[in-house]
Structures are given as C-alpha cells and as structure tokens.
Amino acid sequence: MIKKIFLFLSILIILFFIFCSIFPHLITSYNPDEQNLNEQLAPPNKKHILGQDKLGRDIFSRIIYGSKISIYIGFFTVFISVIIGTIIGSISGYFGGVVDNLIMRITDILLGFPGIILAILIMSVLGPGLNNIIIALTLTGWVGFCRLVRGQVLSLKEREYIVAAKVISASSFKIIFFHILPNIISIIIVKATFDVAGVIIAEASLSFLGLGTQPPTPSWGMMINEAKQYIMIAPHTIIFPGLVVMILVFAINIVGDYLRDYFDPKSL
C-alpha cells in the first residue's frame, strides 16, 4: 500500500514538472529574469513564496521555468541515446564478427571514462549551450543501451522462433525489429527511466560548473552555483533549487523501480 502511494505521488510530481516545462506561465505570473535589487536575497514571504536571489529575482518562477531545461534535456537526450544504442547494439549482437568486435571496443573505450568526466571534456571542446549539453550527454549515454541490447540480442537470436524466421528467409531487418526488439523493449524502458534521472543530475552538474545553459536562462544547476556563496546568509537561495532536483530525481527512480518490478516479477 505504501509503495503504491509513493508511486502515485511520484507520477504526480513528474507530471507536474512536465506541465511546468510546457506551460510555466500558467504556474507563475513572475518573469524569471525580472530583477529587483532593492529586495536582494529576500527570504520567503507572501509575495515570493520561495524568496528572491542575489538579483532580486523570484526563485519560484526561476525554478518553474528552469524545469523546461531539465525535462527537455532529460527526456530528449535519453530518447536519442535509446535510438542510437538500440540500433548499434542490435547490429552488433545479431551480426557479430568484426562488426561486433569493433563496436564493443569503441564502447569499452567510452565506458572506461566516468560519464560525467567525459561529458565535461566534450563540453569543454564544444562550449556551453543547450544543444551542446544534449550532444555531450548523448555521446556518453548511448553506450549503456548498446551493451544492454547487444547482450539481449545475443541471447534471443538463438531461440527457436528466430531460427524459424531465418528458415523462411525473413530479412535481418525484419527479424531484428519485428521479432527481437519487441521482446526486449521492457528492459530498454526500465533502463531509460533510470537514465532520465541520471541525465537530469548530469545537466545540473554541468550547469553548476558553468558548462550548461548560460545566464539569464534559468537552470537548476546554475541557480545552485549562483547561490553557493550565500549559503550562510540566505540558505533559501540554494536549498530550494537543490530540493527540487532531489525530489524530481527521486520520483523518477521510484517509477523506474516499479517498472522494473512490473516487467520482471521475479525481481520482487
């Protein structure tokens, strides 16, 4: 019962942030870039429920508008990573041989570096920016899906129904996309869910380091970075953005745990 309550609340949280990312103007009437230097670092009050930052900007509105960055990068990056990783992993596992060895050596090299370190390296070359974050996180994210799909394809391609499809001269394309992938889509969905949470944290980390979106565009990681020097005199400026990242990532992980248990009852 408690687990279902947490799941329900998590879904509501995710849907809320998705709604905020699409219709932020319906949640708050404040302009996230509007400055009021007379009210710098003002604590939460009736007018500004989460207080104001060092430039007097409304923290609540910046969090709401910042959700667009996190949600967009989180879901879009994972979506691209799934497509690339699934296609390459399917080719690698199904055909094997030289193609498989080449792809696996490339993935081994990429997996040899911590993902966030590799993303920082790529961002330092490409420069800061929304599109560059997606490119950097996609280049580090597809390898996990590639290895996962390859392993599943290696296991499934020897099954009787796949052998039967080969006997009737079904094309490799049809076998991969109509007979193999439908049987591993649940595993891909579970990993993708957890990866969305990981990408949101990675984006916040890059923005915190100054490699993400640039001012005045609101970003949760950048908000934390801007507020770190005021943690003692105005803790609300850093607590609320950090709390939002934690809540959203926690909610996504709860949904991921449920999906894993749903698709694999043996894991319960």
Side-chain angles (χ1 to χ4, degrees), residues 41-264:
L41 304 176
N45 52 68
K46 292 182 179 180
K47 189 176 179 181
H48 304 280
I49 59 175
L50 298 184
Q52 293 162 270
D53 65 5
K54 65 178 183 179
L55 297 177
R57 296 172 297 191
D58 182 67
I59 293 178
F60 178 73
S61 66
R62 289 184 65 77
I63 287 176
I64 294 301
Y65 278 85
S67 64
K68 180 177 182 179
I69 301 295
S70 295
I71 293 295
Y72 173 69
I73 291 179
F75 284 89
F76 188 68
T77 298
V78 172
F79 176 73
I80 298 299
S81 298
V82 167
I83 293 176
I84 296 174
T86 300
I87 293 175
I88 297 178
S90 298
I91 294 172
S92 177
Y94 186 80
F95 293 103
V98 176
V99 174
D100 181 40
N101 287 331
L102 177 62
I103 293 174
M104 285 302 100
R105 296 300 75 77
I106 294 174
T107 59
D108 288 341
I109 293 173
L110 293 175
L111 289 172
F113 297 91
I116 188 63
I117 300 299
L118 187 57
I120 291 174
L121 176 62
I122 296 171
M123 288 298 296
S124 65
V125 174
L126 298 178
L130 181 63
N131 292 331
N132 289 343
I133 291 180
I134 295 174
I135 293 173
L137 296 179
T138 299
L139 290 175
T140 61
W142 69 270
V143 291
F145 291 98
C146 178
R147 292 192 70 91
L148 174 67
V149 171
R150 172 186 178 269
Q152 294 298 315
V153 172
L154 285 173
S155 173
L156 293 176
K157 74 176 185 178
E158 303 300 332
R159 297 287 180 89
E160 291 80 0
Y161 65 92
I162 300 298
V163 175
K166 292 179 180 178
V167 169
I168 61 174
S169 300
S171 66
S172 298
F173 176 86
K174 184 175 181 178
I175 292 175
I176 292 174
F177 288 96
F178 292 94
H179 296 287
I180 294 180
L181 289 185
N183 288 286
I184 63 176
I185 190 67
S186 59
I187 300 175
I188 296 174
I189 291 174
V190 172
K191 177 171 173 53
T193 304
F194 287 113
D195 274 26
V196 169
V199 168
I200 290 175
I201 293 177
E203 182 277 326
S205 300
L206 292 172
S207 294
F208 178 82
L209 295 173
L211 296 173
T213 54
Q214 299 299 293
T217 304
S219 168
W220 295 343
M222 184 177 63
M223 292 176 65
I224 296 173
N225 179 46
E226 292 176 342
K228 66 180 186 296
Q229 57 184 316
Y230 306 107
I231 188 171
M232 299 304 295
I233 60 175
H236 66 279
T237 59
I238 195 171
I239 288 175
F240 291 122
L243 192 62
V244 168
V245 175
M246 183 190 73
I247 290 173
L248 179 57
V249 169
F250 182 74
I252 294 173
N253 283 329
I254 290 292
V255 174
D257 282 333
Y258 171 79
L259 291 175
R260 180 181 58 193
D261 296 340
Y262 176 79
F263 289 122
D264 185 14

Side-chain angles (χ1 to χ4, degrees), residues 9-21 248:
L9 292 176
S10 297
I11 293 174
L12 287 181
I13 290 171
I14 295 171
L15 291 177
F16 171 74
F17 280 109
I18 292 176
F19 181 83
C20 290
S21 68
L248 179 57

